[in-house]
Amino acid sequence: QVHLVESGGGLVQAGGSLRLSCKASGRSFGTYTMGWFRQAPGKERKFVAAIIWDRGNTVYAASVKGRFTISRDNAENSVYLRMDSLKVEDTAVYYCGAVRGPSSVVRMEEYNYWGQGTQVTVSS
């Protein structure tokens, strides 16, 4: 079992930055691929970024590539999402997820564990 807790959300003006954190409890954090997804009101949860468990390769949605950076610290059992040049359309609840083993990291259905989410609101 893996328990995930997100933090770092808040209200920021367009063009600003935020850093989200996701703290995991449980064993073998380093063997999980970690992903960030987001869900805007009335919309489906969508992939944002993922970091692969073994080599640390990263994958980004086209809408955030070049603005967001995912990273992890296995010693701290944590994954982070640095968000720069924020836009109003980035407003959503952001969730971190964990998946073990080979998977399609962009598919929400692949993930085994989820956090409760943290709200990010970008004002114009």
Tab-separated table of all heavy atoms in Angstrom, residues 86-107:
chain	number	residue	atom	x	y	z
A	86	LEU	N	2.563	30.203	-15.233
A	86	LEU	CA	1.222	29.661	-15.091
A	86	LEU	C	0.197	30.465	-15.876
A	86	LEU	O	0.291	31.698	-15.983
A	86	LEU	CB	0.831	29.589	-13.619
A	86	LEU	CG	1.438	28.397	-12.872
A	86	LEU	CD1	1.417	28.622	-11.380
A	86	LEU	CD2	0.714	27.113	-13.233
A	87	LYS	N	-0.774	29.742	-16.397
A	87	LYS	CA	-1.850	30.338	-17.181
A	87	LYS	C	-3.185	30.094	-16.477
A	87	LYS	O	-3.299	29.145	-15.687
A	87	LYS	CB	-1.888	29.727	-18.579
A	87	LYS	CG	-0.584	29.840	-19.351
A	87	LYS	CD	-0.683	29.113	-20.678
A	87	LYS	CE	0.627	29.197	-21.448
A	87	LYS	NZ	0.548	28.492	-22.766
A	88	VAL	N	-4.171	30.895	-16.819
A	88	VAL	CA	-5.491	30.721	-16.222
A	88	VAL	C	-6.005	29.304	-16.482
A	88	VAL	O	-6.620	28.679	-15.607
A	88	VAL	CB	-6.470	31.764	-16.776
A	88	VAL	CG1	-7.887	31.479	-16.313
A	88	VAL	CG2	-6.044	33.171	-16.363
A	89	GLU	N	-5.702	28.775	-17.643
A	89	GLU	CA	-6.183	27.437	-18.000
A	89	GLU	C	-5.485	26.315	-17.237
A	89	GLU	O	-5.843	25.145	-17.375
A	89	GLU	CB	-6.067	27.200	-19.509
A	89	GLU	CG	-4.709	27.514	-20.094
A	89	GLU	CD	-4.641	28.917	-20.689
A	89	GLU	OE1	-5.157	29.866	-20.065
A	89	GLU	OE2	-4.041	29.043	-21.770
A	90	ASP	N	-4.478	26.631	-16.449
A	90	ASP	CA	-3.849	25.629	-15.584
A	90	ASP	C	-4.643	25.424	-14.296
A	90	ASP	O	-4.319	24.536	-13.499
A	90	ASP	CB	-2.422	26.048	-15.215
A	90	ASP	CG	-1.497	26.068	-16.416
A	90	ASP	OD1	-1.577	25.144	-17.247
A	90	ASP	OD2	-0.683	27.015	-16.519
A	91	THR	N	-5.660	26.227	-14.084
A	91	THR	CA	-6.492	26.099	-12.892
A	91	THR	C	-7.161	24.733	-12.849
A	91	THR	O	-7.824	24.323	-13.806
A	91	THR	CB	-7.563	27.202	-12.867
A	91	THR	OG1	-6.935	28.472	-12.749
A	91	THR	CG2	-8.524	27.006	-11.703
A	92	ALA	N	-6.960	24.010	-11.747
A	92	ALA	CA	-7.497	22.654	-11.603
A	92	ALA	C	-7.119	22.121	-10.230
A	92	ALA	O	-6.310	22.716	-9.521
A	92	ALA	CB	-6.939	21.728	-12.681
A	93	VAL	N	-7.691	20.980	-9.905
A	93	VAL	CA	-7.196	20.189	-8.775
A	93	VAL	C	-6.116	19.270	-9.330
A	93	VAL	O	-6.340	18.567	-10.317
A	93	VAL	CB	-8.318	19.381	-8.112
A	93	VAL	CG1	-7.751	18.518	-6.986
A	93	VAL	CG2	-9.406	20.311	-7.581
A	94	TYR	N	-4.965	19.289	-8.691
A	94	TYR	CA	-3.830	18.483	-9.138
A	94	TYR	C	-3.680	17.273	-8.231
A	94	TYR	O	-3.666	17.398	-6.998
A	94	TYR	CB	-2.551	19.323	-9.129
A	94	TYR	CG	-2.477	20.272	-10.297
A	94	TYR	CD1	-3.315	21.378	-10.379
A	94	TYR	CD2	-1.576	20.056	-11.347
A	94	TYR	CE1	-3.263	22.245	-11.459
A	94	TYR	CE2	-1.518	20.908	-12.433
A	94	TYR	CZ	-2.370	22.004	-12.486
A	94	TYR	OH	-2.310	22.857	-13.559
A	95	TYR	N	-3.546	16.112	-8.874
A	95	TYR	CA	-3.437	14.850	-8.162
A	95	TYR	C	-2.118	14.172	-8.516
A	95	TYR	O	-1.700	14.196	-9.680
A	95	TYR	CB	-4.556	13.896	-8.566
A	95	TYR	CG	-5.948	14.375	-8.251
A	95	TYR	CD1	-6.660	15.149	-9.167
A	95	TYR	CD2	-6.563	14.027	-7.047
A	95	TYR	CE1	-7.946	15.574	-8.886
A	95	TYR	CE2	-7.848	14.452	-6.762
A	95	TYR	CZ	-8.528	15.228	-7.683
A	95	TYR	OH	-9.805	15.649	-7.400
A	96	CYS	N	-1.503	13.553	-7.532
A	96	CYS	CA	-0.370	12.694	-7.854
A	96	CYS	C	-0.819	11.241	-7.765
A	96	CYS	O	-1.706	10.895	-6.971
A	96	CYS	CB	0.840	12.970	-6.983
A	96	CYS	SG	0.755	12.383	-5.294
A	97	GLY	N	-0.215	10.428	-8.594
A	97	GLY	CA	-0.535	9.016	-8.645
A	97	GLY	C	0.734	8.187	-8.700
A	97	GLY	O	1.798	8.676	-9.089
A	98	ALA	N	0.603	6.937	-8.308
A	98	ALA	CA	1.730	6.009	-8.301
A	98	ALA	C	1.342	4.737	-9.029
A	98	ALA	O	0.232	4.211	-8.844
A	98	ALA	CB	2.150	5.694	-6.866
A	99	VAL	N	2.257	4.246	-9.834
A	99	VAL	CA	2.026	3.001	-10.564
A	99	VAL	C	3.313	2.190	-10.553
A	99	VAL	O	4.412	2.726	-10.696
A	99	VAL	CB	1.543	3.252	-12.001
A	99	VAL	CG1	2.508	4.143	-12.772
A	99	VAL	CG2	1.299	1.954	-12.747
A	100	ARG	N	3.136	0.892	-10.408
A	100	ARG	CA	4.303	-0.004	-10.329
A	100	ARG	C	4.367	-0.863	-11.576
A	100	ARG	O	3.351	-1.380	-12.029
A	100	ARG	CB	4.195	-0.886	-9.089
A	100	ARG	CG	5.514	-1.444	-8.631
A	100	ARG	CD	5.367	-2.065	-7.262
A	100	ARG	NE	6.653	-2.362	-6.667
A	100	ARG	CZ	6.808	-2.907	-5.466
A	100	ARG	NH1	5.739	-3.200	-4.742
A	100	ARG	NH2	7.989	-3.145	-4.992
A	101	GLY	N	5.557	-0.991	-12.122
A	101	GLY	CA	5.731	-1.858	-13.263
A	101	GLY	C	5.500	-1.120	-14.565
A	101	GLY	O	5.123	0.055	-14.581
A	102	PRO	N	5.723	-1.815	-15.665
A	102	PRO	CA	5.531	-1.206	-16.987
A	102	PRO	C	4.095	-0.728	-17.159
A	102	PRO	O	3.160	-1.422	-16.798
A	102	PRO	CB	5.856	-2.352	-17.945
A	102	PRO	CG	6.701	-3.282	-17.148
A	102	PRO	CD	6.201	-3.192	-15.741
A	103	SER	N	3.932	0.437	-17.703
A	103	SER	CA	2.595	0.991	-17.847
A	103	SER	C	2.630	2.137	-18.842
A	103	SER	O	3.690	2.657	-19.181
A	103	SER	CB	2.074	1.489	-16.497
A	103	SER	OG	2.925	2.512	-16.005
A	104	SER	N	1.445	2.508	-19.280
A	104	SER	CA	1.305	3.717	-20.084
A	104	SER	C	1.077	4.871	-19.122
A	104	SER	O	-0.032	5.047	-18.609
A	104	SER	CB	0.118	3.576	-21.043
A	104	SER	OG	-0.107	4.800	-21.716
A	105	VAL	N	2.100	5.642	-18.877
A	105	VAL	CA	2.060	6.610	-17.782
A	105	VAL	C	1.057	7.736	-18.013
A	105	VAL	O	0.722	8.448	-17.071
A	105	VAL	CB	3.454	7.199	-17.525
A	105	VAL	CG1	4.425	6.120	-17.115
A	105	VAL	CG2	3.970	7.948	-18.751
A	106	VAL	N	0.576	7.898	-19.233
A	106	VAL	CA	-0.354	8.982	-19.501
A	106	VAL	C	-1.799	8.567	-19.239
A	106	VAL	O	-2.704	9.401	-19.289
A	106	VAL	CB	-0.226	9.496	-20.949
A	106	VAL	CG1	1.192	9.965	-21.212
A	106	VAL	CG2	-0.645	8.430	-21.950
A	107	ARG	N	-2.034	7.293	-18.966
A	107	ARG	CA	-3.385	6.791	-18.755
A	107	ARG	C	-3.711	6.714	-17.279
A	107	ARG	O	-3.059	5.995	-16.512
A	107	ARG	CB	-3.552	5.426	-19.414
A	107	ARG	CG	-3.392	5.442	-20.914
A	107	ARG	CD	-3.673	4.078	-21.514
A	107	ARG	NE	-5.086	3.763	-21.438
A	107	ARG	CZ	-5.582	2.721	-20.766
A	107	ARG	NH1	-4.777	1.899	-20.140
A	107	ARG	NH2	-6.876	2.495	-20.749
